[in-house]
Amino acid sequence: MKKLLGATAGSCAVALSLTAAGLSDTIMHPQLIITNARIRTMDAAQPQAEALAIQGNRLLAIGGAKSIGSLAGPATRVIDAQGKLV
């Protein structure tokens, strides 16, 4: 357990130092965000969500419209699902 926590702390330190060095532009933004949706997650802890972020063929994040929207970069395509089920 200590090794896992140490590795996580080390990863966080690297990410923070990259941001502090002004290299935060290297962080990848999702290619696609679907927002204003009714998303069924099939997760008992979070059964519903409003938005999701996709990069390539991977689901990066799922959650509220504000938090997912903040991940968008200049080239991110944003689709308004107009309240439809996803």
Side-chain angles (χ1 to χ4, degrees), residues 28-58:
M28 292 185 71
H29 298 284
Q31 291 174 323
L32 174 66
I33 290 178
I34 300 175
T35 191
N36 189 23
R38 291 184 300 136
I39 301 167
R40 305 290 187 246
T41 66
M42 304 307 215
D43 179 2
Q46 183 186 3
Q48 297 182 24
E50 299 174 318
L52 56 86
I54 298 171
Q55 176 67 34
N57 62 354
R58 292 182 179 237

Side-chain angles (χ1 to χ4, degrees), residues 16-26:
L16 288 174
S17 65
L18 287 175
T19 303
L23 299 175
S24 60
D25 292 341
T26 61

Side-chain angles (χ1 to χ4, degrees), residues 51-73:
L52 56 86
I54 298 171
Q55 176 67 34
N57 62 354
R58 292 182 179 237
L59 180 63
L60 294 180
I62 189 165
K66 260 189 177 177
S67 63
I68 301 301
S70 69
L71 302 175

